[in-house]
Amino acid sequence: MLSVSLYDGIYSLTFSSTASVSNPVPSLPSPALVHSLGDENRSVLSLVADTDHVYVGGQCQDISVWSKRSYTLKTSLRGHTGSILALELAEEKLWLFSASGDSTVRIWSTVTFAPIYVLHPYLETGAGDLFSLAWNPKLQVIYIGCQNTSLQWFEFSKDQIGQRIQEISSGLSTPSRKVHKFFDSYPQYTHRPADLFANNFGSLSPSFLEGDTSYGAASAFNIPASNVIDSAHYGYVYCMALISPVRTGADDSTLHSDGEYQLLTGSGDETVKIWNCAQSGPAHIHTLDCSHGAVLSLAVQGESVFAGCQDGYVKVFDLETKTLIRTIIVQENIDILSLSVMHSDLFTCSANGQVQRWSPSFNCISSWKAHDGIVLSSSITMSTETNGFVLVTGANDGLVKIWDVVVPLNRDLLSMPNTSPTIDTMTYALSTFVSIPSVSSDPLHRGNCQQAAIWLKKCLRQLGAESTLLPTYELGNPLVLATFCGSQGKHPKPRILFYGHYDVISAPTDGWDSDPFSVDGRNGYLYGRGVTDNKGPIIAIACAAAELLRRRALDVDLIFLIEGEEEVGSIGFMDAVRKHKSQIGHVDAILLSNSTWITEYHPCITYGLRGVVHARVTISSGAPDRHSGIEGGAVTEPMQDMIRLLATLTDGQRKVTIPGFYESVREQTVKEKQLYELLSEVTGSPGSVLSSRWREPSLTVHNLAVSGPGSSTVIPGTVAAEISLRIVPDQDLKTISQSLVSHLQNSFHALRSPNSLFVRIDHTADWWLGDLEDPWFNALETAVCEEWGVQPLRIREGGSIPSIPNLEKEFGCRALHLPLGQSTDRAHLPNERISLSNLRRGKSVVKRFLAKVSDTRAPIIS
Amino acid sequence: MCRFVIYKGTSPVQLSHLLTRPCHSIINQAFDSRLRLDHRRPINGDGFGVGWYDTIRDEELGSQPCFFTSVTPAWNNANLARLAEKIKSPLVFAHVRATTAGSLSLDNCHPFVFGKIMFMHNGGIADFHLIKRRLQSGLSDEIFNTIQGNTDSEWAFALFLSKLPDPHAKTFTVKVLQQAMLDTIATLNNYAEEASITEELPSLMNFCVTDGESVVATRYISSRQDEAASLWFSSGTTFSEYMKGGHYKMTKADKRENIIMIASEPLTFEKADWMEIRTNNMVVITPKMNVLQIPIIDKFYVSPSDPAALNRGTDFAAAKGLLSPRNCLSPVQGRDTAPQISI
């Protein structure tokens, strides 16, 4: 009966130091980290979760309420003036209990998050820190484990509460701060008796100020002396667990047929006590001796009681016989601070940040480094995404981490759908996509770009599209072409082309808080290179199509055309498109999602982009560099020519002086003006600034480069300048380019310089302007409006995407630009991120849009 | 009137955080005690002592504590202030002494040390002269000869040593120290009974002892009617000054304790940080930093749930300036006729 097995524990020690191949090896890989919550300056001491929220208590005095779905901070519950040491839910009452080092228990609504009651233990602060809580739903009693070794309880049945409130209102029991002999005393020489105004705290103490005001918020109750068991233990009552009268695995159900709950308490005195929960209070029935340091955590599963001890031991007791049946040595001398049970598996959380999972036969089946600090709390809760469970852990590194602890049957890189019940397909696919560092600017990553293209092709195929790769040019990154075919109807289906790019900008690790090529979920955001530009939107839109397809509700063809060199100028993209145009087929509209909202909170649709002309201007003397002390004054210097030449491009008011430059710039309409006024209200920046950025042309001189060392005694023989023009409707790209070149040549000619001028147009992109009256645009706007409940802002961008006007011209149809992310997404910068909620709702917008445009016949664009 | 403070931590503390800096530090308690009611001699400057163990064990230095005592007032000793700024230790005993009778002598300053054992007392053995010879006769020659001073406190320490199976042992378990402490109190009670010293004149036995690993302290009085001398404790993860003026606060960032302090009076006025140790209880700090509060159940024990526990009188302790603040919501006037007792 009494068997102590050291085998598992010894094995787990060897596992943590060396990867032993001997049996039994932890058979499961480390679970996937679904998301992290929190900031890094508070210690997480307690956590609990209901269906919608995770409640986190810690060193700081507020309880954080996190949304389980969006992983964002919903609210903070304020009132305690000490660390939050324990949290407990009364789910049937929709109450949250919090116990604190300030010697109060507070009761909050889990619906309105308003404070309901404040409960003062017997002896108030004399009870010390309140370490543990347990709620008995049958008796409507909360049990409290105290630092002064007492066990206290309070009944919340309707009768009891009514009676208490009556006592308070009739003045029989007035909860108010009493004068304390010491804490409210005056220095002896003053000969003053103690009173409430002594203020020994100093004038600024927050605990003093808040202590009195908090009574206004909620009714306060005092636990009477009759509801106290003094010296319930000899040590602090660190932990509690309630044993339900109905237990799975109990052979003899008649044994507890009285239907009473039992309470377990664990303490610093190295024991666990079992109490019968009677109406009159807990009655001690047995003491279980653990003798391995303080019992800091307790868990119950069926007939087994797990006691997590300071020494790194878990003692397993059988409730029926009240005997020790097993000792698990998790990691010797590394304190176990929290235990959680899922089905029949036990999770142990250790002071060194390690979490281990134990099978019902007490084999360590998984072991991973969960936190950089001490894991202080844990909980198992239902996942909001699926029907599975997640493990939530909290540590003194200030983080709460959510782990996908359900074992998938088969998890390889590509088999996403249906394998992982807790991580949704979209997040999982994006994680894999981001893990491929497809940096197009770096030849070393050429292989990764190919890999990303192949992965994306397979991913889209798994989501239900027919997919293929299209070559561009020799050594160029291929295009991914994939078509989600809608169901056949009476009318010809509209065909929408989604354009995106799978390449990303490089990401040196400097400035990143996490690995840029591994998606890290923190506080509702996914972090990683490419999550917003452009991998996240690609996956969100692909998932939108896949979900409609699965429901047989996709009534359009959605063609994915994803290139791999957008970040390096889309070289060869249009040539490849023209070459494979027949394969791509007819297109009715173009959709892309390659920018962000103008602010953090207001959804937007982008309807315009500026064009660009990049030019390189070189002036050369045709001779080598010279010494300025010897030759200075005797030669016409290329640099001086260059300065004079560049000066001819603009006047003193930043106006471009190229002849005819502004001739074809479209006049601002009254409607457009109103739009800028509205945007100015939302963004707080003046409308004129926005219009200069978006709808006025501009000229920029980027740099001046010289031949030779550039030192202050050398006359450079050659000087080169990089300049660019941003152009807007209805400036003609070719005309503007030509007039730039001829203006430079004419101005240089006028200088009568012996030096020679070279002008080269490096790169151009045309402007793009959507049609706000277009039915496609209206459909998209309505979809955004329906999803977010607000009319989206119509915005433009000052930058350029050459492929949009090119694709419009090539396919003879309109483009639509739907940004998904927020202005704070930091594309191209360290800590690039996208809000998980934006990604999910963006997916939803696209689903609505696709449903809408299939309702009517495809509109013909003239 | 004596006041003491004990610190045990997982990391060493700079002595100034206990002795000099907190707004109600042990040195401030020497002249601004809030829990003393006799106003005849508000200044308590009859010496002090501080004892501490090494942070890192050194074979050459050995495992015994170092201790520094002086008969000058604690607040006026420049050496103490200097040492407090430069010494760190994971286990500290500090004591300020006030005699209303008896000699002012270096030998009479607490703490007392024997090998690695360190001991302090706050209180007084009633009519000690009636049992002194009886106590001494039970001691071994070695223990008898180690006694240097002439106080009841030091003889109580000798009695404690005699209750240890081997006072020279390299290690002591918590259980051994607990038992020796209980035996010491029981023996003193027996001697008092033999000498017909009645409950009318109870002994105040707030003892504390450590071997450098565990700490055992008592808040005890040989009476069912009176309250023992005050004793408090505080535990948490960090003890730091949050506002100028010695306003220290205990924070809690872990389930376990990194710092445990036991003191005659709280070192700060943060009510939630300090807990009173109940009368006739023993408080134990285990080597693993767990605090145990164990009732000392004998004929003087009154269960806390017994209404009598709330009605223990404070006059006796008050008379000696050893007031416990429990149940004192109205000010009690000091008595000019308080008996003079060495404490």
Side-chain angles (χ1 to χ4, degrees):
Chain A
M1 187 89 210
L2 193 133
S3 69
V4 178
S5 166
L6 302 178
Y7 184 69
D8 297 335
I10 289 164
Y11 170 69
S12 77
L13 276 176
T14 53
F15 173 73
S16 63
S17 50
T18 55
S20 163
V21 288
S22 65
N23 192 44
V25 182
S27 48
L28 300 176
S30 302
L33 176 62
V34 182
H35 215 91
S36 305
L37 312 174
D39 53 64
E40 278 153 34
N41 47 35
R42 40 171 290 181
S43 193
V44 177
L45 287 156
S46 51
L47 55 85
V48 75
D50 61 15
T51 46
D52 297 319
H53 302 105
V54 178
Y55 304 91
V56 179
Q59 189 185 356
C60 108
Q61 302 160 355
D62 302 340
I63 300 159
S64 307
V65 183
W66 294 84
S67 158
K68 251 166 84 174
R69 195 173 152 72
S70 66
Y71 305 119
T72 49
L73 184 65
K74 190 154 188 175
T75 184
S76 291
L77 310 182
R78 297 203 168 85
H80 280 296
T81 56
S83 297
I84 315 295
L85 301 170
L87 293 168
E88 172 75 321
L89 289 166
E91 300 214 37
E92 76 282 10
K93 288 187 104 78
L94 302 170
W95 283 1
L96 172 75
F97 292 88
S98 57
S100 166
D102 67 8
S103 304
T104 63
V105 171
R106 284 172 186 266
I107 297 104
W108 316 83
S109 161
T110 58
V111 180
T112 63
F113 305 114
I116 302 172
Y117 299 119
V118 181
L119 189 57
H120 294 274
Y122 180 63
L123 294 181
E124 300 188 12
T125 55
D129 298 340
L130 308 181
F131 280 102
S132 49
L133 289 170
W135 170 251
N136 182 331
K138 188 182 173 210
L139 297 178
Q140 303 273 291
V141 163
I142 187 81
Y143 302 99
I144 307 162
C146 307
Q147 190 183 15
N148 74 348
T149 71
S150 69
L151 171 61
Q152 307 196 4
W153 65 95
F154 192 80
E155 192 182 328
F156 279 96
S157 66
K158 281 205 173 85
D159 296 349
Q160 282 287 321
I161 291 298
Q163 197 184 328
R164 299 274 172 217
I165 288 175
Q166 217 164 21
E167 281 171 17
I168 290 167
S169 54
S170 64
L172 283 172
S173 154
T174 312
S176 63
R177 204 159 78 83
K178 293 174 189 140
V179 173
H180 193 282
K181 195 69 208 165
F182 176 79
F183 296 107
D184 299 317
S185 67
Y186 289 92
Q188 208 176 359
Y189 57 83
T190 62
H191 296 272
R192 280 180 73 177
D195 63 36
L196 284 175
F197 308 103
N199 194 13
N200 285 304
F201 301 105
S203 56
L204 296 172
S205 172
S207 57
F208 178 74
L209 296 173
E210 284 172 19
D212 282 342
T213 55
S214 61
Y215 289 111
S219 308
F221 299 123
N222 290 327
I223 295 182
S226 55
N227 286 14
V228 178
I229 295 173
D230 281 299
S231 300
H233 281 272
Y234 288 152
Y236 300 172
V237 184
Y238 277 121
C239 50
M240 282 186 181
L242 205 67
I243 308 168
S244 164
V246 185
R247 300 204 287 278
T248 53
D251 296 332
D252 183 6
S253 56
T254 55
L255 192 72
H256 307 286
S257 59
D258 54 351
E260 287 303 340
Y261 280 81
Q262 288 182 325
L263 179 69
L264 292 170
T265 54
S267 164
D269 66 6
E270 312 192 346
T271 66
V272 172
K273 290 190 180 181
I274 309 176
W275 312 78
N276 263 337
C277 297
Q279 191 83 43
S280 55
H284 178 236
I285 51 172
H286 200 82
T287 300
L288 304 168
D289 213 331
C290 294
S291 62
H292 274 290
V295 180
L296 295 168
S297 52
L298 279 169
V300 183
Q301 169 63 36
E303 287 294 298
S304 301
V305 170
F306 302 98
C309 303
Q310 223 178 352
D311 275 347
Y313 286 50
V314 174
K315 296 277 182 170
V316 188
F317 297 94
D318 177 52
L319 265 178
E320 186 98 48
T321 56
K322 310 208 169 36
T323 48
L324 179 74
I325 51 168
R326 191 88 168 195
T327 297
I328 307 171
I329 307 174
V330 175
Q331 279 170 296
E332 192 127 27
N333 284 324
I334 295 168
D335 301 353
I336 295 164
L337 294 150
S338 188
L339 298 174
S340 283
V341 169
M342 182 183 71
H343 301 311
S344 50
D345 286 6
L346 174 73
F347 293 89
T348 58
C349 303
S350 301
N352 60 355
Q354 202 77 11
V355 174
Q356 297 183 357
R357 178 176 186 165
W358 303 81
S359 72
S361 51
F362 309 115
N363 289 319
C364 178
I365 51 175
S366 182
S367 175
W368 74 99
K369 178 95 177 160
H371 288 270
D372 284 333
I374 304 163
V375 189
L376 291 161
S377 49
S378 64
S379 181
I380 293 282
T381 180
M382 289 285 286
S383 161
T384 48
E385 289 309 297
T386 56
N387 294 324
F389 288 91
V390 289
L391 172 71
V392 188
T393 57
N396 75 337
D397 58 9
L399 294 174
V400 172
K401 294 190 180 179
I402 299 165
W403 305 92
D404 171 22
V405 285
V406 174
V407 188
L409 295 170
N410 170 27
R411 180 186 287 173
D412 69 66
L413 191 74
L414 288 161
S415 55
M416 301 152 326
N418 307 324
T419 53
S420 168
T422 44
I423 300 182
D424 65 325
T425 305
M426 185 174 70
T427 318
Y428 185 69
L430 181 56
S431 302
T432 314
F433 198 8
V434 167
S435 71
I436 308 169
S438 48
V439 181
S440 52
S441 61
D442 186 349
L444 287 175
H445 285 293
R446 185 173 291 135
N448 294 124
C449 292
Q450 301 278 346
Q451 193 192 346
I454 293 165
W455 180 88
L456 184 61
K457 183 190 84 170
K458 289 186 180 175
C459 170
L460 293 172
R461 181 173 292 166
Q462 279 204 336
L463 289 172
E466 293 162 15
S467 62
T468 181
L469 295 183
L470 304 177
T472 47
Y473 57 96
E474 205 184 341
L475 297 179
N477 296 331
L479 308 181
V480 179
L481 176 69
T483 309
F484 288 91
C485 288
S487 32
Q488 297 294 333
K490 291 173 198 160
H491 310 294
K493 287 167 291 175
R495 287 174 61 79
I496 300 166
L497 177 90
F498 174 72
Y499 163 76
H501 64 92
Y502 61 79
D503 64 322
V504 295
I505 213 90
S506 66
T509 46
D510 295 358
W512 284 81
D513 295 332
S514 58
D515 178 357
F517 295 107
S518 166
V519 167
D520 190 30
R522 299 197 297 269
N523 297 357
Y525 284 89
L526 301 177
Y527 288 81
R529 175 57 85 223
V531 290
T532 188
D533 182 18
N534 183 229
K535 289 175 173 177
I538 292 172
I539 295 294
I541 289 159
C543 287
E547 284 171 22
L548 290 175
L549 195 65
R550 214 173 302 147
R551 296 202 336 249
R552 299 184 180 280
L554 185 68
D555 294 320
V556 299
D557 287 348
L558 185 62
I559 306 146
F560 274 65
L561 184 62
I562 313 297
E563 68 154 312
E565 296 187 17
E566 197 265 357
E567 301 292 7
V568 288
S570 301
I571 310 146
F573 172 67
M574 283 316 295
D575 291 342
V577 169
R578 277 176 213 116
K579 199 170 145 195
H580 300 287
K581 201 174 168 185
S582 59
Q583 241 176 301
I584 297 165
H586 170 74
V587 172
D588 294 309
I590 298 155
L591 177 68
L592 74 157
S593 177
N594 199 6
S595 68
T596 58
W597 295 352
I598 191 167
T599 65
E600 239 179 306
Y601 301 109
H602 206 118
C604 299
I605 297 180
T606 308
Y607 72 95
L609 294 166
R610 291 199 289 192
V612 70
V613 177
H614 281 285
R616 186 180 170 86
V617 183
T618 311
I619 297 174
S620 177
S621 65
D625 301 336
R626 295 167 203 266
H627 191 295
S628 62
I630 297 166
E631 307 271 359
V635 293
T636 310
E637 297 181 13
M639 179 63 91
Q640 289 170 354
D641 284 354
M642 179 63 88
I643 291 163
R644 266 184 241 129
L645 180 64
L646 293 179
T648 66
L649 288 171
T650 51
D651 67 7
Q653 279 75 46
R654 281 186 294 162
K655 284 273 173 209
V656 179
T657 48
I658 299 168
F661 187 71
Y662 293 100
E663 255 169 34
S664 45
V665 174
R666 206 182 281 185
E667 288 290 324
Q668 193 167 333
T669 60
V670 180
K671 234 178 165 182
E672 208 183 335
K673 211 173 176 115
Q674 288 167 345
L675 195 65
Y676 285 117
E677 278 162 15
L678 170 70
L679 287 168
S680 160
E681 272 173 42
V682 175
T683 60
S685 50
S688 61
V689 170
L690 293 176
S691 70
S692 324
R693 281 183 197 157
W694 294 350
R695 58 118 45 239
E696 302 294 335
S698 65
L699 180 144
T700 302
V701 180
H702 299 286
N703 64 51
L704 275 178
V706 295
S707 59
S711 65
S712 55
T713 54
V714 174
I715 302 168
T718 304
V719 178
E722 305 253 14
I723 63 173
S724 74
L725 295 169
R726 293 283 169 176
I727 62 164
V728 296
D730 296 306
Q731 290 175 308
D732 180 63
L733 180 62
K734 265 192 187 142
T735 314
I736 292 288
S737 304
Q738 278 164 5
S739 55
L740 171 69
V741 174
S742 52
H743 177 69
L744 285 168
Q745 280 167 344
N746 294 342
S747 304
F748 186 73
H749 188 69
L751 295 179
R752 299 180 184 284
S753 167
N755 298 323
S756 37
L757 169 77
F758 310 92
V759 181
R760 195 179 77 204
I761 303 292
D762 278 341
H763 172 71
T764 60
D766 213 343
W767 51 261
W768 169 70
L769 191 66
D771 180 359
L772 301 179
E773 307 302 324
D774 179 53
W776 292 94
F777 184 87
N778 289 336
L780 186 60
E781 208 166 45
T782 316
V784 175
C785 187
E786 283 175 4
E787 173 63 28
W788 290 92
V790 288
Q791 197 66 27
L793 294 174
R794 297 168 169 186
I795 59 166
R796 287 164 74 164
E797 293 235 333
S800 314
I801 303 174
S803 304
I804 301 184
N806 289 341
L807 285 170
E808 274 192 338
K809 282 168 204 159
E810 192 60 43
F811 290 102
C813 66
R814 283 294 194 183
L816 300 160
H817 194 174
L818 174 72
L820 297 191
Q822 299 160 297
S823 60
T824 50
D825 278 358
R826 303 169 61 85
H828 291 207
L829 299 173
N831 292 326
E832 177 179 343
R833 67 178 192 177
I834 192 163
S835 151
L836 195 51
S837 156
N838 275 48
L839 216 46
R840 287 182 180 146
R841 301 186 76 168
K843 179 180 76 180
S844 181
V845 166
V846 172
K847 275 161 77 174
R848 289 172 190 272
F849 168 70
L850 295 179
K852 241 170 247 307
V853 294
S854 61
D855 281 349
T856 50
R857 275 197 64 146
I860 308 301
I861 292 172
S862 52
Chain B
M1 170 187 119
C2 303
R3 301 278 97 174
F4 63 61
V5 62
I6 298 165
Y7 170 94
K8 179 168 159 63
T10 50
S11 54
V13 67
Q14 192 180 346
L15 297 191
S16 58
H17 293 304
L18 301 174
L19 304 184
T20 53
R21 292 191 196 171
C23 56
H24 202 57
S25 70
I26 187 77
I27 285 179
N28 288 358
Q29 288 179 30
F31 60 84
D32 178 23
S33 163
R34 302 293 177 95
L35 300 180
R36 178 180 172 176
L37 289 185
D38 59 324
H39 294 162
R40 292 174 306 119
R41 288 188 191 173
I43 302 300
N44 309 284
D46 298 329
F48 67 87
V50 52
W52 68 94
Y53 292 86
D54 295 328
T55 303
I56 300 157
R57 185 175 156 69
D58 184 307
E59 281 303 327
E60 195 179 357
L61 294 177
S63 56
Q64 79 282 12
C66 181
F67 63 113
F68 172 62
T69 54
S70 169
V71 293
T72 67
W75 64 87
N76 228 354
N77 191 306
N79 283 328
L80 177 64
R82 288 181 199 124
L83 290 172
E85 287 297 323
K86 290 298 285 183
I87 290 172
K88 278 187 152 189
S89 166
L91 206 172
V92 183
F93 273 32
H95 190 279
V96 292
R97 183 166 182 256
T99 62
T100 48
S103 72
L104 178 63
S105 148
L106 212 54
D107 288 333
N108 288 342
C109 288
H110 306 228
F112 306 107
V113 172
F114 180 92
K116 62 188 290 191
I117 308 261
M118 185 151 63
F119 182 93
M120 297 190 289
H121 177 209
N122 170 26
I125 315 291
D127 278 339
F128 185 65
H129 61 278
L130 296 181
I131 63 166
K132 189 172 181 180
R133 194 180 290 272
R134 174 71 189 87
L135 189 158
Q136 287 169 344
S137 67
L139 301 176
S140 67
D141 285 355
E142 189 205 9
I143 291 171
F144 181 85
N145 288 323
T146 57
I147 302 305
Q148 303 293 311
N150 59 4
T151 57
D152 54 346
S153 301
E154 197 176 5
W155 286 110
F157 178 43
L159 183 62
F160 173 83
L161 291 173
S162 76
K163 299 297 180 190
L164 290 171
D166 173 13
H168 296 285
K170 282 206 170 117
T171 56
F172 299 90
T173 64
V174 183
K175 288 256 179 317
V176 162
L177 296 176
Q178 274 174 243
Q179 194 53 51
M181 185 62 88
L182 292 175
D183 290 350
T184 303
I185 290 172
T187 304
L188 287 168
N189 285 339
N190 285 342
Y191 291 163
E193 205 168 320
E194 283 169 25
S196 305
I197 301 165
T198 64
E199 211 180 315
E200 296 300 308
L201 195 56
S203 293
L204 289 160
M205 299 190 233
N206 285 14
F207 292 130
C208 42
V209 70
T210 178
D211 61 344
E213 304 287 334
S214 316
V215 174
V216 175
T218 56
R219 183 182 184 206
Y220 186 85
I221 185 164
S222 56
S223 160
R224 286 180 66 88
Q225 277 77 45
D226 283 302
E227 186 82 308
S230 63
L231 196 62
W232 298 75
F233 77 98
S234 179
S235 66
T237 47
T238 50
F239 184 62
S240 55
E241 190 171 17
Y242 71 93
M243 191 170 72
K244 278 200 170 152
H247 293 283
Y248 279 65
K249 200 164 169 53
M250 186 68 93
T251 54
K252 194 141 179 65
D254 195 338
K255 281 185 182 170
R256 302 159 296 170
E257 319 302 327
N258 293 335
I259 292 171
I260 300 163
M261 290 186 286
I262 302 173
S264 302
E265 290 186 21
L267 301 188
T268 66
F269 293 94
E270 300 293 330
K271 196 174 174 189
D273 285 353
W274 292 93
M275 266 189 61
E276 194 177 12
I277 294 163
R278 276 172 278 188
T279 287
N280 288 18
N281 265 249
M282 175 158 63
V283 57
V284 176
I285 308 174
T286 68
K288 287 183 180 296
M289 296 294 289
N290 287 308
V291 177
L292 307 181
Q293 298 155 74
I294 305 165
I296 302 172
I297 297 170
D298 58 16
K299 62 178 177 176
F300 300 117
Y301 183 72
V302 181
S303 162
S305 50
D306 186 333
L310 294 171
N311 297 325
R312 278 184 180 268
T314 54
D315 285 1
F316 182 75
K320 298 184 173 186
L322 293 167
L323 180 80
S324 157
R326 168 84 59 83
N327 194 31
C328 284
L329 299 179
S330 60
V332 178
Q333 294 305 310
R335 293 189 306 196
D336 282 347
T337 55
Q340 293 197 345
I341 299 172
S342 159
I343 32 180

